[in-house]
Amino acid sequence: MHKFIDGEIFKTLLKDGMNIHVGGFLTNGSPETLIDLVVESGVKDLTIICNDGGYEGNGVGKMINHGQVKKLIASHIGTNPDVGRLMNEEKLIVELVPQGTLVERIRAYGAGLGGILTPTGLNTLVQEGKDVIQVKGKDYLLEEALGADMALIGGAIADEYGNLKYKETMRNFNPMMATAAEIVVVEPVKVVEVIDPENVITPHPFVDYILGGEQDER
Amino acid sequence: MNDKQIIASRIAMELKDGDLVNLGIGIPTLVANYVPEDKEIIFQSENGIIGLGADKGEDCSIVNAGGMKASICKGGAFIDSATSFTFIRGGHIDITVLGALEVDQEGSIASWIIPGKLVPGMGGAMDLVTGAKRVIIAMRHTNKGKVKILKKCRLPLTAFKQANLIVTEMCVMEVKKDGLHLLEVNPAYTIEEVMNATDAELIIDEVKPMKGIENENNA
């Protein structure tokens, strides 16, 4: 299948200043090989959107450690001391977003919506600079949709057509991110011949590339 | 029983058969150890599990919301994060149990940032306290003697007026429309000691001994 590429081709897709969705939850379901390739490529000024800051030297923490990340949009950063340190040194901009708001902003972008209305964050710092909209007498925050130039997807079991399902808890943010970026690249944990159509979570039109050159001849 | 066990054991008594419950990291996680065998409680983990179970040492990729190894119960489901927060924000979680840095007598909660000092982020906490049907705060009564139960939170809020019940090693308090009611006191403390360790105004009608302290079940 033409979707299967190797690491060298993947690196040609990367550019300075890209916005990149990275799947995974505390590195469970994180595309570690793709992240290593981003580090190898040396691209910089990235905006990374991920549930969390990963760990020191693990998950998105690897790109942060190498000074490639200008801005991190995440729901929590407590597991990676590098993030707090770089933020205090003003070398990294961090935007903290409630987890449910973050995933729904991504889902909204993939679904062609401009944003979402959520009660989460009302009367907190999260509300600052945002419109409050009343619907049927209840207040909601307007949170804008969040897309990216590229999505790096992990934790997937792919088939030869590019359909995906996900291994255990590795699903997390991955299916939403796979709908919300210009270029979607998957690092599967396993490739099978075909996934039962009833079990496909991410249908193949969402998927642009799959890392795994050995499948090329099939 | 130590302080954490007293808190966890008391909160376990609040869970009803069939409840869908989300437990936060720290003391809240211990609540699962005190659920009696005749009650079926379904635990939700916001990273994507309905039917969270303890780590059984099996070779798998299942983790809980703290990134620690876990298992899934029979009849459970793996879900994506959008579905997980559909449960959480959509009002489908019966009880969420969370820790806090501060709580106030109106039920406002502060738990995600100490400006200039510690910025772990809110994770799923803001959505949980906004969307769950009942919010139980599990925490030590003071931070090494420094009051945490206040008239008004000083730290930036996680949510405004969302806590329903506060359980500490000293007592059980319920947030009602007219204020914070002292319901139960651990017999190891007096009401005066509780009041001295609390900045919030406590409404005291009928105070009972704190339940669950003798319950050594599964501890």
Side-chain angles (χ1 to χ4, degrees):
Chain A
M1 291 292 292
H2 68 281
K3 288 186 181 186
F4 287 87
I5 58 169
D6 62 19
E8 290 309 308
I9 294 173
F10 170 67
K11 282 196 269 183
T12 66
L13 303 171
L14 298 167
K15 291 182 182 67
D16 290 347
M18 272 185 146
N19 292 8
I20 306 181
H21 285 318
V22 181
F25 189 110
L26 291 172
T27 73
N28 181 242
S30 172
E32 296 293 326
T33 308
L34 291 174
I35 293 169
D36 288 339
L37 290 164
V38 174
V39 171
E40 259 180 56
S41 78
V43 289
K44 55 184 192 301
D45 295 329
L46 302 174
T47 294
I48 297 295
I49 302 148
C50 185
N51 173 61
D52 51 77
Y55 299 103
E56 278 176 304
N58 234 330
V60 297
K62 289 187 276 202
M63 294 181 282
I64 292 165
N65 265 353
H66 283 83
Q68 295 173 284
V69 182
K70 182 181 66 181
K71 183 174 180 183
L72 174 68
I73 302 175
S75 77
H76 63 97
I77 55 172
T79 52
N80 187 347
D82 283 345
V83 176
R85 181 177 54 77
L86 291 167
M87 189 170 65
N88 290 336
E89 292 170 7
E90 296 186 0
K91 289 177 182 160
L92 175 68
I93 301 165
V94 176
E95 181 184 334
L96 286 166
V97 181
Q99 202 169 102
T101 299
L102 183 61
V103 72
E104 202 62 18
R105 287 175 65 193
I106 296 166
R107 197 194 67 79
Y109 185 89
L113 306 176
I116 57 154
L117 299 177
T118 176
T120 303
L122 280 169
N123 302 302
T124 74
L125 292 178
V126 171
Q127 185 177 318
E128 276 179 18
K130 289 172 191 157
D131 291 333
V132 177
I133 292 175
Q134 219 176 57
V135 181
K136 291 184 178 170
K138 273 186 77 181
D139 284 346
Y140 297 90
L141 284 188
L142 172 64
E143 293 274 9
E144 288 178 13
L146 184 59
D149 300 310
M150 181 180 274
L152 305 182
I153 304 302
I157 295 159
D159 71 14
E160 293 179 6
Y161 301 86
N163 294 307
L164 310 178
K165 60 179 182 176
Y166 298 87
K167 186 168 167 31
E168 299 169 336
T169 48
M170 291 177 154
R171 194 180 309 185
N172 53 63
F173 276 64
N174 284 303
M176 274 62 62
M177 288 178 165
T179 69
E182 287 298 313
I183 305 170
V184 175
V185 188
V186 180
E187 175 188 339
V189 293
K190 191 164 82 174
V191 178
V192 298
E193 195 182 339
V194 64
I195 297 170
D196 180 344
E198 287 188 341
N199 294 335
V200 172
I201 305 285
T202 299
H204 67 77
F206 285 128
V207 174
D208 295 301
Y209 299 106
I210 298 174
L211 187 79
E214 71 274 17
Q215 275 84 21
D216 275 352
E217 72 278 8
R218 289 189 195 175
Chain B
M1 281 178 129
N2 63 31
D3 288 356
K4 290 179 181 182
Q5 291 167 331
I6 289 168
I7 297 166
S9 150
R10 177 62 188 84
I11 291 173
M13 300 175 84
E14 295 295 313
L15 312 185
K16 290 192 284 293
D17 195 39
D19 274 354
L20 181 60
V21 176
N22 183 296
L23 301 178
I25 294 161
I27 299 173
T29 306
L30 302 176
V31 171
N33 299 340
Y34 294 92
V35 176
E37 277 175 16
D38 60 343
K39 273 192 210 171
E40 193 197 358
I41 308 296
I42 301 133
F43 291 104
Q44 193 254 14
S45 189
E46 68 265 27
N47 59 313
I49 308 176
I50 300 295
L52 172 73
D55 178 22
K56 290 175 179 157
E58 284 164 11
D59 182 28
C60 68
S61 308
I62 306 172
V63 300
N64 63 22
M68 308 303 286
K69 276 201 77 177
S71 68
I72 189 161
C73 298
K74 199 173 176 191
F78 293 117
I79 54 178
D80 61 59
S81 296
T83 309
S84 180
F85 282 87
T86 294
F87 272 101
I88 290 167
R89 207 192 307 95
H92 310 283
I93 302 284
D94 294 299
I95 293 179
T96 183
V97 184
L98 304 96
L101 298 165
E102 293 176 351
V103 195
D104 69 28
Q105 62 195 38
E106 295 185 313
S108 292
I109 303 157
S111 64
W112 68 283
I113 179 172
I114 305 175
K117 267 191 182 170
L118 182 73
V119 189
M122 68 291 278
M126 277 195 184
D127 299 281
L128 280 159
V129 296
T130 301
K133 287 181 196 157
R134 195 153 177 249
V135 176
I136 300 179
I137 301 297
M139 63 176 198
R140 285 226 169 80
H141 202 94
T142 65
N143 177 16
K144 293 166 190 145
K146 214 174 132 232
V147 286
K148 296 170 71 177
I149 301 164
L150 309 172
K151 290 187 182 71
K152 202 133 199 116
C153 286
R154 297 170 193 144
L155 293 169
L157 297 184
T158 305
F160 182 64
K161 296 188 181 179
Q162 294 289 349
N164 301 112
L165 197 74
I166 305 165
V167 179
T168 75
E169 77 283 10
M170 294 183 101
C171 65
V172 180
M173 291 154 286
E174 188 178 9
V175 183
K176 291 187 186 172
K177 280 200 178 113
D178 62 341
L180 188 61
H181 289 248
L182 183 64
L183 302 184
E184 298 173 17
V185 171
N186 180 340
Y189 302 95
T190 63
I191 293 179
E192 287 67 34
E193 283 173 318
V194 171
M195 289 172 77
N196 287 339
T198 309
D199 171 63
E201 282 172 33
L202 291 172
I203 298 170
I204 300 168
D205 314 312
E206 192 196 353
V207 179
K208 292 179 177 154
M210 191 165 162
K211 290 183 280 185
I213 292 171
E214 268 73 52
N215 179 5
E216 296 286 345
N217 175 33
N218 296 333

